[in-house]
Amino acid sequence: MNREALDQFCERGILTLVLAILVFGPLAMGAVDAPEFLVVQGLTIGVMLLWALRIWVSPKPQLLWPPICWVVLGFTIFAITRYLTADIEYVARHEMIQVLMYAFLFFAIVNNLYRQEAAQIIGFTLIFLAMAISAFAVYQFFKHSNRVWNFATPYVGRASGTYISPNNLAGFLEMLFPLATAYVLVGRMKAVTRVLLGYAALVMVAGLAVTFSRGGWAAAAIGLLVLLGILIGHRNHRIPALLLVVVCIGGGAFFTKIYLAKTLTYIMRVQGTVNNGQVELDFRREMWTTAERMWLDHFWWGVGPAHYDYRFREYRPEGVQRQPDRVHNDYLNLLADWGAIGGIIVLAGMAAFAAGLWETRKRVQRAEKDLGGRGMSNRFAFFLGASAGLLALAVHSVVDFNLHIPANAILGVTLLALLTSNLRFATERYWLNARLHFKMLVTVALAVGVAYLGWQGWRRGNEFVLLRRAQSPSLLVLERAALLEKAFAAEPNNFVTAYNIGEAYRIQSFEGGPDYAAQAEMAMRWYARARQLDPHDGYNDLRTGMCLDWLDRHAEAGAFYRTAESLDPNGYFTVANIGWHYIQV
């Protein structure tokens, strides 16, 4: 095999693996849980290996490096630095791994999948995938099913397709619906393909409707209206765009009035949210206020990568007793976790991306005009559709956290990278000749990334297997503790595992057997270890106080309860157990 053939093989291999990531993630419930995420991580490692090989076998190795690449590199370095100084190493490491994966994928797509054919293959694949998932969502809605594969979602009456949350399905569809619409209106293709894409867009509308995601509806509508507004300004596309605007407004109003408004979910989700003219956003406002307080207390650096949920108890409002997981606002989540420095870097990236779009638009519009006739252009269609999809994602991020769902984040990164690579049509100044020192530098970076991601994947996989075995309901308490201790040996920084081991020994001690005192002491040792790994979790102090009360050491217990209260002053569980302590006294 000559060098050109091997280079083509690597390029096709990278495209295949990227497609596998983009298809697998949404089908695997967003790739949120460890097993599914590890598959995506393994596929990403494959992309990195093929890119490293291609750098050396390519006849004319070049590196495409637009300005936004400096921003992506800067945030990646900042993420590594912030991880090294984080309070909770375990969660910060997993967040950093996601940042590393997204950065590697971004650079790989920009430098290997910049051809128009690759963008079209990716676009068509994702559109028809979205159509299939939307059809499944419609089936769920009409069958009143909340089953996703072998899991049951808590969202009864709302369809989520292959995601757990309907809001995340809406986030996925809102990025692809404008792309499908743009291909139908502007794309250059056969009539059969155009009809199929039009049908896919209609099914996606139905899928969006049955998610009953208010944020998703608004984001998709804004993305579509911006797309159609741009096309109305083009002489060749003005009439179809105007007709589609009329159809969307009229058809949407008719469907809502005749059918949608009569469904119980619509009444609860939309009509029920309006009270005396004020829109209630559930607990979002309180979560946003909490995130703002965290950010202002840790203005420059933030509380730490993915730390919002773990620092929430210290800032908890009385009206929110659940753990929020995320802020439900990606911008505030960014500021709370990464601080003003992280926000400035991301803002610079958005500015660089917008500048790149402005520069690219001249070239794609010129290409459209050069075609003559109706000015159909797949390049122009992808440019408009992908840009509108990213705009929809940006709008939805105000009220949700789609950027923290790996499948949706990777889709956003892919669209961002493909649009960024279009700068090669506008100018040649961003191409760098990959001389020997460049090739060695990129190869070393990829090799280090492959080694680190591979090691972390193996480590997390071993931990997951042991934790899954420890969840068996047939195990006795101390048998479960033994398996958890093996999982902790595989991952000695997982504070949750340490806490659960302490819980196992505490529960066994509270049975009152002959070894109850030794078991209580063992539980307190594990709580102390968990406290070292996560100093912000007051439940370790709470349970330590309970063990001391159980051993009639009430004077010692009081200090631990006070610490627990300082770490979660408005938590009902903490306050209730402090009351239990006084009963023991």
Side-chain angles (χ1 to χ4, degrees):
M1 183 180 291
N2 58 36
R3 296 184 66 177
E4 290 186 0
L6 189 56
D7 176 65
Q8 190 178 45
F9 169 79
C10 292
E11 182 181 1
R12 290 177 178 175
I14 291 171
L15 175 60
T16 301
L17 290 176
V18 169
L19 284 173
I21 293 171
L22 292 169
V23 171
F24 175 79
L27 293 177
M29 297 171 291
V32 174
D33 292 334
E36 294 79 17
F37 184 80
L38 288 174
V39 172
V40 174
Q41 190 168 323
L43 293 171
T44 302
I45 291 173
V47 171
M48 296 163 65
L49 289 171
L50 286 176
W51 185 18
L53 176 61
R54 192 183 184 205
I55 290 172
W56 292 96
V57 303
S58 177
K60 296 180 180 179
Q62 289 181 306
L63 193 65
L64 182 58
W65 197 264
I68 193 176
C69 290
W70 289 110
V71 182
V72 174
L73 180 62
F75 190 86
T76 304
I77 294 172
F78 174 65
I80 296 171
T81 305
R82 194 64 189 90
Y83 154 70
L84 295 174
T85 58
D87 292 341
I88 311 175
E89 189 275 343
Y90 184 75
V91 296
R93 177 171 14 114
H94 287 175
E95 190 79 353
M96 181 195 64
I97 287 172
Q98 291 194 34
V99 172
L100 289 176
M101 285 176 52
Y102 301 157
F104 279 123
L105 283 172
F106 176 83
F107 291 131
I109 292 170
V110 167
N111 283 278
N112 295 278
L113 304 181
Y114 49 76
R115 301 182 191 277
Q116 183 178 336
E117 294 80 4
Q120 186 169 315
I121 291 171
I122 291 173
F124 283 12
T125 301
L126 289 172
I127 287 169
F128 289 115
L129 172 67
M131 179 188 72
I133 295 176
S134 298
F136 180 51
V138 173
Y139 169 82
Q140 288 174 321
F141 177 72
F142 283 108
K143 287 292 186 178
H144 306 287
S145 171
N146 65 330
R147 303 291 299 181
V148 180
W149 306 130
N150 294 324
F151 299 90
T153 74
Y155 301 95
V156 179
R158 300 175 61 194
S160 60
T162 54
Y163 287 79
I164 295 297
S165 170
N167 295 333
N168 299 147
L169 172 61
F172 175 72
L173 296 178
E174 72 199 14
M175 285 186 276
L176 295 172
F177 173 58
L179 183 60
T181 304
Y183 271 123
V184 171
L185 295 178
V186 184
R188 192 178 188 185
M189 62 195 66
K190 295 180 180 179
V192 174
T193 306
R194 195 180 306 278
V195 170
L196 290 174
L197 289 171
Y199 178 74
L202 287 175
V203 177
M204 275 191 267
V205 170
L208 266 169
V210 296
T211 63
F212 292 94
S213 171
R214 295 159 293 186
W217 289 351
I222 291 172
L224 180 64
L225 289 176
V226 169
L227 168 67
L228 296 178
I230 294 173
L231 290 179
I232 288 173
H234 286 248
R235 178 169 50 86
N236 293 329
H237 311 298
R238 183 171 297 139
I239 294 177
L242 284 171
L243 288 175
L244 188 56
V245 169
V246 173
V247 169
C248 288
I249 295 176
F254 178 80
F255 177 74
T256 300
K257 181 178 181 181
I258 298 301
Y259 178 74
L260 207 59
K262 299 178 181 178
T263 63
L264 178 62
T265 306
Y266 180 88
I267 295 172
M268 295 175 62
R269 293 284 296 170
V270 180
Q271 295 181 3
T273 59
V274 179
N275 182 18
N276 297 324
Q278 298 294 322
V279 177
E280 299 176 0
L281 296 176
D282 303 318
F283 297 109
R284 282 177 170 81
R285 186 175 302 167
E286 291 181 310
M287 290 187 288
W288 296 346
T289 303
T290 301
E292 181 185 7
R293 290 169 55 203
M294 282 188 196
W295 171 45
L296 294 176
D297 286 348
H298 306 81
F299 184 79
W300 289 109
W301 300 96
V303 294
H307 278 41
Y308 170 80
D309 192 47
Y310 300 93
R311 299 295 300 271
F312 180 80
R313 289 172 181 165
E314 300 171 50
Y315 296 84
R316 182 201 302 276
E318 290 183 357
V320 181
Q321 292 299 320
R322 294 176 296 176
Q323 286 298 111
D325 184 34
R326 300 288 180 177
V327 182
H328 287 73
N329 181 310
D330 279 324
Y331 305 105
L332 285 173
N333 214 143
L334 171 71
L335 292 172
D337 283 351
W338 301 94
I341 293 178
I344 291 170
I345 296 174
V346 171
L347 184 62
M350 295 171 70
F353 177 64
L357 287 181
W358 184 258
E359 190 173 2
T360 306
R361 95 195 196 292
K362 304 173 185 177
R363 184 63 183 86
V364 296
Q365 287 177 349
R366 190 181 307 121
E368 179 206 16
K369 293 175 182 177
D370 291 343
L371 292 171
R374 292 184 58 197
M376 296 298 186
S377 167
N378 287 340
R379 186 186 304 168
F380 186 51
F382 183 85
F383 176 82
L384 286 181
S387 300
L390 289 177
L391 174 63
L393 177 65
V395 171
H396 197 178
S397 293
V398 175
V399 293
D400 254 310
F401 53 95
N402 280 296
L403 291 177
H404 291 89
I405 304 300
N408 290 358
I410 291 173
L411 173 56
V413 166
T414 301
L415 296 179
L416 185 73
L418 291 172
L419 286 170
T420 298
S421 67
N422 280 339
L423 273 170
R424 73 188 185 95
F425 299 123
T427 178
E428 294 290 329
R429 67 177 181 271
Y430 300 128
W431 283 106
L432 303 176
N433 291 325
R435 297 185 177 90
L436 181 61
H437 63 282
F438 265 126
K439 292 163 68 174
M440 292 183 65
L441 181 63
V442 175
T443 302
V444 169
L446 289 171
V448 172
V450 166
Y452 182 76
L453 292 178
W455 172 51
Q456 290 296 328
W458 179 264
R459 184 176 175 180
R460 191 176 183 185
N462 286 338
E463 180 197 27
F464 173 79
V465 170
L466 291 167
L467 290 177
R468 177 61 63 88
R469 288 174 57 191
Q471 293 175 357
S472 173
S474 62
L475 294 174
L476 299 176
V477 174
L478 293 184
E479 292 174 341
R480 180 174 292 107
L483 281 173
L484 288 173
E485 288 181 33
K486 291 181 180 179
F488 189 80
E491 178 48 86
N493 287 329
N494 190 341
F495 53 93
V496 176
T497 303
Y499 174 80
N500 287 333
I501 295 171
E503 282 288 87
Y505 281 108
R506 181 190 64 81
I507 291 170
Q508 186 64 40
S509 173
F510 277 31
E511 291 293 326
D515 296 327
Y516 80 94
Q519 290 162 352
E521 293 286 352
M522 180 66 74
M524 288 190 288
R525 283 197 288 271
W526 280 105
Y527 293 137
R529 189 170 297 185
R531 188 183 306 113
Q532 292 175 348
L533 298 173
D534 178 8
H536 303 288
D537 186 358
Y539 285 7
N540 293 302
D541 297 281
L542 196 69
R543 295 306 198 188
T544 301
M546 292 180 69
C547 289
L548 290 171
D549 278 333
W550 176 242
L551 297 176
D552 293 326
R553 294 156 60 181
H554 305 298
E556 297 177 56
F560 288 96
Y561 284 106
R562 287 191 291 273
T563 302
E565 185 179 15
S566 68
L567 293 173
D568 189 7
N570 289 328
Y572 82 94
F573 187 74
T574 300
V575 174
N577 279 278
I578 291 174
W580 180 87
H581 161 66
Y582 285 112
I583 291 175
Q584 303 307 308
V585 173

